[in-house]
Amino acid sequence: YGDLRDLAAGIAATIEAHAASGSPVAVYARRNVSAYAGLLGGTLLGCGYVPLNPKHPNPRVAKMIGLSGVRSVIVDEAGERDIDELVTERRLVWVLPHRDDVSDLEARWPGHSWVGRDGLVDPAGWTPPETRASEIAYVIFTSGSTGHPKAVVIEQRNVTAFLDACHRDAGFDSTDRFSQVFELSFDGAAWDIWNALEIGATICVPSDFDLLKPHEYINRERLTNWCFVPSMAGIMQ
């Protein structure tokens, strides 16, 4: 957790140093360290985050980046392959925590700011700004099944009330082991991630292959909490 906090604080301090704070941080990543550090970075800044799914069509993702008004984007290794179709004329700060050298990206798109792992601001001595309960926790987009995707703003007090109820009713503690099944762009991910982070519990991240045999993964990782959609029950044998 200390390592994760340092990476998240480094991302937050870097975004602040590039004058890109004040608006939510886009996280274009799947379920990995870059993703969790990115959403925590946005949380530390008090401006929240916008989870974007690399499985979605690039034009849809690009539209969400524009509609949400983000000024910074966290990209993981897999998401990097889509950058060509996501970069627009509007200047953004792109943070790639998995990559050291970003000089090739700087040369291709000099109108944007590019930051790799070596360019992150040292978080030592950095202090997160004070935040209020009414600050944005995250902005999530609807599926768009009845039209264009619409942004829904979730405030920090909404997440806090949800977590308080979860811990009161379920009695979670730091010895629990949570699955992290849902992509960040699905609201159910809030259960997976924030329930564990608030109490220092373990987050276990199954691969797509693991999800084909969830019962084996549950037993192997000794999970105490498994959150999933009803359609997955059919393969829980």
Side-chain angles (χ1 to χ4, degrees), residues 6-35:
D6 287 346
L7 179 56
I11 289 173
T14 299
I15 291 171
E16 188 176 72
H18 282 265
S21 57
S23 60
V25 176
V27 180
Y28 188 63
R30 295 199 63 197
R31 297 165 290 128
N32 55 42
V33 172
S34 293

Side-chain angles (χ1 to χ4, degrees), residues 97-153:
H98 63 280
R99 210 196 222 243
D100 291 327
D101 184 9
V102 293
S103 57
D104 58 321
L105 299 173
E106 291 173 335
R108 288 169 65 184
W109 293 290
H112 293 253
S113 294
W114 300 90
V115 182
R117 181 166 44 211
D118 290 345
L120 292 176
V121 173
D122 186 348
W126 180 79
T127 303
E130 293 186 10
T131 59
R132 296 170 296 178
S134 59
E135 302 283 5
I136 294 173
Y138 58 91
V139 178
I140 200 160
F141 281 83
T142 62
S143 64
S145 57
T146 59
H148 296 294
K150 300 173 183 64
V152 179
V153 176

Side-chain angles (χ1 to χ4, degrees), residues 51 53 56 138 140-141 182-191 228-229:
N53 193 341
H56 289 166
Y138 58 91
I140 200 160
F141 281 83
F182 302 125
E183 299 296 340
L184 272 63
S185 60
F186 179 58
D187 206 31
W191 172 281
F228 62 99
V229 292

Side-chain angles (χ1 to χ4, degrees), residues 2-231:
D3 293 337
L4 181 61
R5 194 273 177 193
D6 287 346
L7 179 56
I11 289 173
T14 299
I15 291 171
E16 188 176 72
H18 282 265
S21 57
S23 60
V25 176
V27 180
Y28 188 63
R30 295 199 63 197
R31 297 165 290 128
N32 55 42
V33 172
S34 293
Y36 305 135
L39 64 87
L40 281 168
T43 302
L44 285 172
L45 284 170
C47 51
Y49 61 94
V50 182
L52 302 171
N53 193 341
K55 288 185 174 182
H56 289 166
N58 289 335
R60 173 190 169 99
V61 174
K63 184 173 184 177
M64 290 177 179
I65 290 175
L67 288 174
S68 60
V70 300
R71 290 187 282 174
S72 57
V73 185
I74 312 301
V75 182
D76 69 357
E77 187 170 5
E80 186 181 338
R81 64 174 177 262
D82 299 322
I83 285 180
D84 283 352
E85 297 187 51
L86 300 181
V87 171
T88 63
E89 294 182 358
R90 185 167 66 91
R91 178 190 174 277
L92 296 173
V93 177
W94 299 81
V95 181
L96 291 75
H98 63 280
R99 210 196 222 243
D100 291 327
D101 184 9
V102 293
S103 57
D104 58 321
L105 299 173
E106 291 173 335
R108 288 169 65 184
W109 293 290
H112 293 253
S113 294
W114 300 90
V115 182
R117 181 166 44 211
D118 290 345
L120 292 176
V121 173
D122 186 348
W126 180 79
T127 303
E130 293 186 10
T131 59
R132 296 170 296 178
S134 59
E135 302 283 5
I136 294 173
Y138 58 91
V139 178
I140 200 160
F141 281 83
T142 62
S143 64
S145 57
T146 59
H148 296 294
K150 300 173 183 64
V152 179
V153 176
I154 308 298
E155 296 180 350
Q156 290 193 16
R157 58 188 163 197
N158 301 138
V159 178
T160 299
F162 170 69
L163 294 178
D164 286 347
C166 291
H167 291 285
R168 181 185 64 246
D169 295 340
F172 299 133
D173 62 37
S174 60
T175 64
D176 277 301
R177 297 174 63 83
F178 287 78
S179 65
Q180 213 281 275
V181 173
F182 302 125
E183 299 296 340
L184 272 63
S185 60
F186 179 58
D187 206 31
W191 172 281
D192 295 341
I193 298 169
W194 293 112
N195 266 310
L197 290 180
E198 183 173 32
I199 56 173
T202 301
I203 298 177
C204 302
V205 186
S207 67
D208 289 343
F209 179 77
D210 289 325
L211 293 178
L212 296 176
K213 295 183 177 181
H215 57 292
E216 292 184 1
Y217 184 80
I218 291 170
N219 290 325
R220 185 174 74 245
E221 296 299 326
R222 298 175 288 110
L223 299 184
T224 61
N225 186 281
W226 174 264
C227 187
F228 62 99
V229 292
S231 58

